[in-house]
Amino acid sequence: YNLSQLYRKQQKVKQEFKLLEEIYSLIQRDGTDELAYKVCFAFAVWHFNHGDKKRGDQLLEEYAAHHRNYFNAIQAKNLAEIERKYEMNQQIQANKILKKSNELKSLTIKKNKQQTILLNLIWTASLSIIALVGLGLVFWFRKRNTIRELESQKAVLEATLQERKRISFDLHD
């Protein structure tokens, strides 16, 4: 196609026509709209310049069809790209929301763990205090009972000593 444009600029009409015919037959067989609309337009211009209006009009109709198909394909491609970007943005937003939700759940779980640890600490401290008070009471009662027992033994010992003194005093008389 670019070569035919070069031939037109150099005013080599026969070579331009021959090349456009070759390209046109290839396009008819393979059919890419991007190249087809350009070649049809150049071929139509060539026919108009050489007085073949009927063939020029046919090629202009082909040009319009290929042009429409090409730009519809571009629009479809662009629309698909926009939709892909939109869906990707939606996914990113959804991921951000999920991340924030997970962070909030994580903070809630962390707070609950801290509260559980604090509650366990309070229970442990309370039970320790109760155990210490209970142990203190046990030792206090044992000490009190030991003191009472010692006092009663002391009283018995003193009574026994008093009785011995009295007996020994009675015996010595």
Side-chain angles (χ1 to χ4, degrees), residues 2 7 23 29 38 52 54 94 106 118 136:
N2 290 335
Y7 285 146
I23 295 172
R29 188 182 61 190
K38 293 176 183 177
D52 192 359
K54 184 178 178 185
S106 176
L118 182 63

Side-chain angles (χ1 to χ4, degrees), residues 1 7 13 21 100 104 115 123 167:
Y1 170 73
Y7 285 146
V13 177
E21 272 189 331
K100 293 227 184 247
L104 183 61
Q115 287 177 344
W123 275 105
I167 292 175

